[in-house]
Amino acid sequence: MTKRMFVKGNEAVCWGALAAQCKCYFGYPITPQNDIPEFMSKELPKRGGVFVQAESEIAAANMLLGAVASGVRAMTSSSSPGISLKQEAISYMAGSELPGVIVNMNRGGPGLGDIGPSQGDYFQATKGGGHGDYRLLVLAPGTVQEAYDLTIEAFNLAFKYRNPVMILGDAILGQMKEPITPKDPVIDDSEVHNWCLDGAQNRPSRIIKSLYLEDGALAAHNLKLAKKYEQMAQEEVRFEEFLTNDAELIVVAYGSIGRIVKTTIRKLRQAGHKVGLLRPISLFPFPKEILLSLAKAGKKFLTIEHNLGQMVEDVQLAICKFATTDFYGHLPGNLPTPNDFEQPILNSLEK
Amino acid sequence: MTKRMFVKGNEAVCWGALAAQCKCYFGYPITPQNDIPEFMSKELPKRGGVFVQAESEIAAANMLLGAVASGVRAMTSSSSPGISLKQEAISYMAGSELPGVIVNMNRGGPGLGDIGPSQGDYFQATKGGGHGDYRLLVLAPGTVQEAYDLTIEAFNLAFKYRNPVMILGDAILGQMKEPITPKDPVIDDSEVHNWCLDGAQNRPSRIIKSLYLEDGALAAHNLKLAKKYEQMAQEEVRFEEFLTNDAELIVVAYGSIGRIVKTTIRKLRQAGHKVGLLRPISLFPFPKEILLSLAKAGKKFLTIEHNLGQMVEDVQLAICKFATTDFYGHLPGNLPTPNDFEQPILNSLEK
Amino acid sequence: MKEKIVFPKPKVLADSPMHYCPGCQHGTAHKLVAQTLEELNLVEKSICIGSIGCSVFIYNYLLVDTVEAPHGRAPAVATGVKRAKPDKIVFTYQGDGDLASIGLAEIVHCANRGELVTVIFVNNTVYGMTGGQMAPTTMVGQKTTTCPGGRCREREGEPLKMAEMIASLGGTAYAARVAVNNIKNLKKAQKAIANAFKVQVDKLGFGFVEILATCPTNWKMTPLQANKRIEQEMIPYFPLGEFKNCLGENQ
Amino acid sequence: MKEKIVFPKPKVLADSPMHYCPGCQHGTAHKLVAQTLEELNLVEKSICIGSIGCSVFIYNYLLVDTVEAPHGRAPAVATGVKRAKPDKIVFTYQGDGDLASIGLAEIVHCANRGELVTVIFVNNTVYGMTGGQMAPTTMVGQKTTTCPGGRCREREGEPLKMAEMIASLGGTAYAARVAVNNIKNLKKAQKAIANAFKVQVDKLGFGFVEILATCPTNWKMTPLQANKRIEQEMIPYFPLGEFKNCLGENQ
Amino acid sequence: MSKYVDVIIAGFGGQGVMLIGNLLAYAAMEQGLNVTYIPVYGPEMRGGTANCTVVIGEEEIGSPIIFNPLSLIAMNRPSLDKFQPRVQDNGVLILNSSLVEPSLAEKNRLKAYAIPVNELADKLGNLRLANMVALGAYVQATGIVPLQAVKNALPNVISSHYAHLIPDNAKALQTGYDYAQNQGTV
Amino acid sequence: MSKYVDVIIAGFGGQGVMLIGNLLAYAAMEQGLNVTYIPVYGPEMRGGTANCTVVIGEEEIGSPIIFNPLSLIAMNRPSLDKFQPRVQDNGVLILNSSLVEPSLAEKNRLKAYAIPVNELADKLGNLRLANMVALGAYVQATGIVPLQAVKNALPNVISSHYAHLIPDNAKALQTGYDYAQNQGTV
Amino acid sequence: MGRVEFLENLCKGCLLCTEVCPKKIIVQADRFNKQGYKVVEIKPENMDKCMGCGFCSLICPDSALVVYKTVQEQACA
Amino acid sequence: MGRVEFLENLCKGCLLCTEVCPKKIIVQADRFNKQGYKVVEIKPENMDKCMGCGFCSLICPDSALVVYKTVQEQACA
Ligand SMILES: Cc1ncc(C[n+]2csc(CCOP(=O)(O)OP(=O)(O)O)c2C)c(N)n1
Ligand SMILES: Cc1ncc(C[n+]2csc(CCOP(=O)(O)OP(=O)(O)O)c2C)c(N)n1
Ligand code: SF4
Ligand code: SF4
Ligand code: SF4
Ligand code: SF4
Ligand code: SF4
Ligand code: SF4
Ligand SMILES: [Mg+2]
Ligand SMILES: [Mg+2]
């Protein structure tokens, strides 16, 4: 067995990126993800890679756009206010079909908010904080190992779909340490030379763009993108089920909150309460079908988020005709512990 | 009767702003809303107001933040990519409870997209393209008169709630001309001196901020904001109903598409089809209750948007248990005409 | 007796007509860049970063690999490309709204870092594409659609002199301002553009050329009047010349 | 015989302890600004634009009306406030990451437009608040958490000299660089800050003071070592002095 | 049935189609009618063709964009090719016969007027008045507003800079009106 | 039941609570256990108190943040005040009796150890080893991992710069361990 | 000695070439090209005044003219 | 003649004042204040060396000292 490493979630993202053969990192400091640029500034150059501290989050996102346009695996990271600044570039990457990887270690908002954990950026990540009809593939790790694994996945998926992928963590995931088992993934980039920019040698020049002015061109382009999102929905749904089989109540929670709720559920199980957890891992595509089948099986639902109610809409949409989900929002600014969720779960169970 | 004026939607927004006593405009050129900064550069200074062409959309949004912090009515406008750039500042304004008015004349996306109409920014406008839990009050005019009226409203609501308000139009609304009847609204700004920054004379100094680090402070702040959104949901829902009473099928469509669908509906009515329109005017707060009551009355639903499906989620959430809405998405990049919607409506009717 | 073509059209320049207005010197600038790429034999290693402005369709005319940068961000995109592919020749092509207004932080930092990229900056004192609004380079007194009374020094400040500002930065290896309004200036422009690429080839630092250019449409002038304005109004305020040249040191 | 207080603490400065690290010269800068506001009798007309950095809590110490600007955007916010309320005295207080990195476009354009605002720029060559990352003003060779081997001229360029850049712009009426490391410099700093406000009061243009300041924590030095570094390393690269002063012309 | 008409006005960039669209709409507004005007920019950025749509009616107007209009003013051949097939049966067509062969008009299906607007404008001494000639003809053909209303509206759409040309424009409107009245449909 | 413990370690900023949290977690990991470590920054930005939570168990660990921990290492009075009431009944408390009055321990409810960690560290010649003394005592009190495992983990959490201090740290761990063993609970 | 070939479909009639020609032989024609621009020409009688300096070609933004210059063939190649 | 009053709770022990004092009478004390900083002091026997120049007060980032200077009262006010 490979030796386990004991690392922060932020560092796990970096190790995952290195394993996925990320060659360039562009970033700008912001708490609680500074370990990422700091790690990359030390480790990437050693491995022949490139670290650039950009002048801003906007510049970082656009450096990312440039690097991936040349076919190289690259990444940027930030936290909430910085991610807001990247929205234009993210929309451009989606429109230009560029495989950038973007990490958001969500902090409290709106505005400057605080530097603690929050899930207030769910909508921004999944519904497109930028303009136009596009979707990011959004992965929400709940453990440090998952932060590592999903970062590797993120790169592979970005290149598979030529679409930006977001890792959505939070201040808890970024700052906590857990052991991880490193991997040595096989990276297949054989397709890249078919589209990347590397000088028009012995071939016509290539254009990477998102402008479509000719009659019907933007419509066709939007349809093409929609097909990709459809394919993602078919192939990339990820979630964790925990004690759902005999559960009366399914708690739906993602990321750090998902894992914290797990502890609550274990405790409530010991007290004989039939409660289970559905933890979406891919937030887009959202695990609709499993939720639907749980709804059809007559379960009750409670969505728990570290915000005032965002994913709950996706849960409700998934189970629509068959069930209604309760909602419990842990407020940004307050650190969540398993105790916080006991009563809300019991309340929903009793209804 | 006041003399009618024949103006573009973009100009109507400006006239509305002037009527609402907007004193400052900050903007950056982008098609299809350039008439707004051009008009303001000519007309505001004449009236003792201020026009600044900012160095960027980001700067414009932050100038707006500054101007409204001093208690003055002010506005910025842009179109999709530029609105993406304003997201951080918008989140700050929401977090700092500042009454900025932001106009988005939606164009095709993602990325550079095109300069034609689109409703691709619905999610961004209504679910928060910026970070954190916040909401804009979003008003979607369907006519040039409404562009005028709702801009006046926008200023009043922004100051009523101390919350940013967005006017969400599109390239059609911005470019089309219609007659408008000007108004002379009464502006009540008597509350402003209680919170605005104007120099700490004979009072303690004031702070306008969105940072809340003390234990529980950000949570309390988020709750306070949530209560405001709740109040908006109670008091500010706006919509238009058209021939819904005896309709079998309710088409839900907003803005330009809403009015274009109206023509289709008139035509289908002539052919005896029982179809009506529910046009949300406030997109946030969303007219859930009227939709729910129509659903309870057993109507069928078809949501039509000029995008790949965004508002349809809010419609579905509103009618959940009682009905399912069909969706027809007119693709961004294609200009919509009433003909485009005939078949989709007939299809839904027949189901 | 034989005939040869004088200044043959570069092959990397497409044969199709360009969408620019009559007398618009974006066309001239394109041609000069094309000539340089061919002369220095860089065509097949070049990656162009297009920007948002009237030249947004540059990829239809200049047949090198091109990526479209968001408005103002071309220097950041160029940084990404060059760092990822250090053996390629990377250049941006930007207008004055793009480079000197929304993209000011990006251009200054790109130059200051000494990125090994070349920037072609077309200064036509106006936002061409969006219909003639004021630019940071609009001359004092010049009327545009957003300074209908003429740019006012008190309210809007003076036009930014980008070539000088860029020349003052440590990472810059070459910075010049040129015009393409007459044959003498055209020849100097050609040389300046070549130098701005050479500093990249020789890895000396950041290369920058500001090209004073006409926008007859938004200046509301005939192409000939516009061309005269370059000489009479622009050059006196925006002096031509090399403001920094590190090639000498190493040649 | 009577006693009087020498350099009494300005009343506009709160009595509560500040959150800054020992020897951090943000405190000194706050005090100088406070003194100036009182001397020029501006306290009750002032609106401060706070920025994001260690000084984010300035409103707890400097008891004037204050609005918090997003990171880097204080000059834009200041523009909004001043244009809306031209009779108020508006100033920003910004760090070097804030002003010279993410906010570069905003500061340059604000100065270039000649906005009647004053900017207090605290240059401590590092991102203090976020834990000591490289800033645009980090010295070549200086180690930070994102240039662990020391800032490298080739890869990261040279430190930006903001006072000089700002002085070169048409709208700037006053630009100076000062230090607060010894009594002589402190007195000059006091005067410079006053001048930067006076050009606003007299409506001459944009006022700018760059204050070289210590960040002992992230420099990993004692306050005394840090204070020495100002003299030994920083001032030689960042020369002190007035780079532009239009007060003379009008006085 | 209540008054209603919609029209697509299309031509080359410089032919002034936007101006007459505006003028017609303005005149209709002053008659107390509801009206919308929308310019339609094609993908072409500069030069190329231009068109606008005007909708006039007694009732509230839904769509300002019309796929199958009731009438068309085609100032050049590409405009005719593109829009004529979309005009509704029995619709009105004003054709610029100076540039387009009148035989191309679908005269069996449409009330088609062939108006040599360039020549008529040239005779008035200003080729740029061709658009007004066309609009005059259109007003005659549809009767949607009185010609005088259109003339009265001129000062509201012509910039003050060109105010001295208002009488000429009025004359051109009249010329088109008279020509259509005299010649009738093709 | 399977092995499980969680602990909040809290103290002043400079007392090295993060380091021993890390060390404990690392040692547990090397024993093949699951483990999480999370630093908790309060609203204070600089100075003030610091704490971290370590969770160790044979089974997969859910929450890394614990409201009612099974054990507490309280290095100063504010930490005791804040966290002692939250420790579960029969939980373990390691109290820094150099700074906190041992009588403040809820000894009826908790297995409380009063360890004068400052004095003990001082005797070892380095006040900064107080944290290690506390951890040694904790390891003795809970037996969650062998003391040797903790000593073995030292090189992984102490930066190479301070490698020469590893033996001292090991000695401090032992000192705390022995002290707890000898004195038992209060 | 020189000669100029006009690529009329590319010409936009900007007249910049007319100004730089040292011989002033390029003039506006009466023709419009299919894009609607009034093109330029050299009257046949003036063509032999052309020196083949290429100035017109250099300044033309639209590469609408090709200048040929007669070159002395070298005796031995 | 001068005299200095230390606001110990504000002092962070940075020692900047010790350096600028022309008399070098300010020294680190053995005490910690309640924030945990080792404060500075002027030993009582040295206080009368103070000239009341205020340099220490000028440089102190935390306004932790107040300098009093003895002033001659004017004959007629
Ligand atoms: C974020 C963003 N803001 C604004 C625009 C609109 N826009 C397109 S081009 C342009 C300015 C063009 O001016 P310039 O850079 O000077 O180029 P020119 O057209 O004059 O060559 C603007 C503001 C945009 N596309 N994206
Ligand atoms: C958009 C955005 N990006 C990044 C940050 C994180 N951040 C906070 S302060 C700061 C830099 C502080 O450095 P500086 O401006 O030099 O101030 P100092 O703390 O050194 O006084 C950064 C990057 C933020 N709050 N917002
Ligand atoms: S608008 Fe100006 S810059 Fe744009 S193509 Fe026309 S002349 Fe050139
Ligand atoms: S980190 Fe640096 S700048 Fe921030 S308070 Fe401490 S010393 Fe001052
Ligand atoms: S310069 Fe070129 S485009 Fe202009 S008139 Fe001459 S040939 Fe035509
Ligand atoms: S080549 Fe020279 S001489 Fe000949 S037409 Fe052109 S400019 Fe005139
Ligand atoms: S006032 Fe002057 S002499 Fe007295 S302690 Fe302070 S610095 Fe020393
Ligand atoms: S300068 Fe101020 S804070 Fe520093 S040691 Fe002296 S009195 Fe204390
Ligand atoms: Mg320009
Ligand atoms: Mg700093």
Side-chain angles (χ1 to χ4, degrees), chain F residues 53-98:
Chain F
T53 301
V54 176
V55 183
I56 299 170
E58 276 172 348
E59 299 197 343
E60 179 203 25
I61 296 171
S63 179
I65 308 176
I66 301 296
F67 190 82
N68 297 127
L70 291 170
S71 54
L72 168 68
I73 304 180
M75 296 290 281
N76 65 5
R77 174 75 190 266
S79 302
L80 187 79
D81 291 349
K82 178 162 181 191
F83 296 113
Q84 177 169 258
R86 281 160 47 175
V87 180
Q88 294 188 28
D89 288 352
N90 303 316
V92 169
L93 166 67
I94 305 294
L95 185 72
N96 177 1
S97 58
S98 305

Side-chain angles (χ1 to χ4, degrees), chain A residues 84 111-112 127 131 210 313 320, chain B residues 84 111-112 127 131 210 313 320:
Chain A
S84 288
L112 192 51
K127 312 271 168 189
H131 58 285
S210 61
E313 293 193 359
C320 231
Chain B
S84 288
L112 192 51
K127 312 270 168 190
H131 57 287
S210 61
E313 293 193 0
C320 232

Side-chain angles (χ1 to χ4, degrees), chain C residues 26 54 95-98 122-129 135 137 215:
Chain C
H26 269 303
C54 278
D96 46 333
D98 191 83
V122 177
N123 175 1
N124 59 13
T125 74
V126 85
Y127 286 55
M129 187 186 218
T137 49
C215 174

Side-chain angles (χ1 to χ4, degrees), chain A residues 28-31 57 81-82 85 107 112, chain B residues 88 92, chain D residues 26 52-55 71 95-99 102 124 126-130:
Chain A
Y28 187 81
I30 187 168
T31 309
E57 289 87 354
L85 288 169
R107 57 188 255 180
L112 192 51
Chain B
E88 189 205 23
Y92 268 77
Chain D
H26 269 304
I52 318 293
C54 277
S55 62
H71 189 39
D96 46 332
D98 191 84
L99 179 139
I102 190 170
N124 59 13
V126 84
Y127 287 54
M129 185 184 219
T130 43

